[in-house]
Amino acid sequence: AQSVSQHNHHVILSEAASLELGCNYSYGGTVNLFWYVQYPGQHLQLLLKYFSGDPLVKGIKGFEAEFIKSKFSFNLRKPSVQWSDTAEYFCAVNAWNAGNMLTFGGGTRLMVKP
Amino acid sequence: DAGVIQSPRHEVTEMGQEVTLRCKPISGHDYLFWYRQTMMRGLELLIYFNNNVPIDDSGMPEDRFSAKMPNASFSTLKIQPSEPRDSAVYFCASSLELSSYNSPLHFGNGTRLTVT
């Protein structure tokens, strides 16, 4: 079975700072990788996903993530955060043939100070 | 498209009481998932349905938990009797297909359950 670790539980940044949220997974086979975001009071939304091809994936709102297979990592990045990026971010993984059977990380709560 | 609708948004109950959480998936979505979110364990898949039939309930923590989907537009997650350790946010999600590339999960706003 796969598992996902997000090492940063809480991150506080000032506006315009750069963001990198760590995500590591454990699974021996081919995986699909996702980042979801949950804004305060809202439901989870898909930020970006990786299935194959270019390991650098660009998502909505200026976010990107890089899949490094050798490190079993899929870190989320944004060059310059905004106050509106305050949210909880979840990394998720599934085996390539497991469809929407996702395993989520524990989440990282990001607070951006104006 | 109203999205996935869950009710209630918040539920506070006493230990031993029965709790029923409700979910209305997006119309036309054949797959429905129930997730539980806690600080300790993050987001866990409890059970999922395909065309109203439970396919995998291996994530259901124990017999106190049960889920039903009597029709394509409604599902319930029931806890009887409830315990304080059941306190969590419960999310319902639906998708058009099982394959997630073309059919991402759509989540509801969740139900925050507090058992005292």
Side-chain angles (χ1 to χ4, degrees):
Chain A
Q2 54 265 41
S3 65
V4 182
S5 296
Q6 292 181 244
H7 306 294
N8 310 105
H9 297 291
H10 291 91
V11 174
I12 302 174
L13 295 173
S14 297
E15 276 195 315
S18 64
L19 169 72
E20 181 159 3
L21 302 182
C23 172
N24 287 91
Y25 68 92
S26 65
Y27 182 70
T30 303
V31 294
N32 303 318
L33 297 151
F34 307 81
W35 275 97
Y36 280 83
V37 60
Q38 185 179 20
Y39 297 104
Q42 298 187 26
H43 55 274
L44 281 89
Q45 304 170 46
L46 183 65
L47 258 184
L48 47 79
K49 59 188 177 186
Y50 171 81
F51 275 63
S52 62
D54 188 344
L56 184 62
V57 180
K58 295 196 183 297
I60 60 172
K61 304 187 180 185
F63 286 91
E64 64 179 31
E66 185 174 14
F67 171 49
I68 303 180
K69 189 174 181 180
S70 60
K71 295 184 178 180
F72 297 90
S73 70
F74 190 56
N75 292 357
L76 181 71
R77 299 195 293 250
K78 186 171 183 177
S80 175
V81 295
Q82 301 172 312
W83 175 79
S84 58
D85 293 324
T86 295
E88 190 159 13
Y89 293 81
F90 293 90
C91 182
V93 63
N94 67 4
W96 69 274
N97 59 351
N100 274 320
M101 299 286 292
L102 299 179
T103 299
F104 284 86
T108 297
R109 199 174 291 259
L110 171 67
M111 179 183 292
V112 180
K113 299 184 293 184
Chain B
D1 182 357
V4 177
I5 299 173
Q6 290 186 248
S7 64
R9 288 298 305 275
H10 302 273
E11 177 80 38
V12 180
T13 190
E14 292 183 348
M15 186 174 77
Q17 296 298 307
E18 177 181 296
V19 175
T20 300
L21 312 181
R22 297 171 177 79
C23 175
K24 181 181 188 309
I26 292 173
S27 177
H29 280 194
D30 291 335
Y31 291 85
L32 183 141
F33 303 79
W34 281 101
Y35 283 88
R36 177 173 67 175
Q37 181 184 23
T38 61
M39 290 293 291
M40 294 297 295
R41 301 171 69 94
L43 265 166
E44 306 170 275
L45 177 64
L46 300 177
I47 185 172
Y48 84 93
F49 294 82
N50 176 27
N51 291 326
N52 315 337
V53 177
I55 302 301
D56 186 345
D57 65 354
S58 58
M60 296 286 262
E62 48 197 276
D63 292 345
R64 297 184 296 107
F65 285 69
S66 62
K68 294 182 180 179
M69 194 164 184
N71 57 63
S73 59
F74 184 64
S75 176
T76 60
L77 178 67
K78 187 176 293 187
I79 309 172
Q80 166 63 17
S82 58
E83 296 182 4
R85 60 194 169 114
D86 300 331
S87 297
V89 180
Y90 291 81
F91 286 100
C92 178
S94 70
S95 64
L96 192 59
E97 304 169 353
L98 187 59
S99 169
S100 55
Y101 184 77
N102 293 317
S103 176
L105 282 176
H106 295 261
F107 283 85
N109 283 335
T111 295
R112 184 176 294 277
L113 173 64
T114 303
V115 183
T116 60

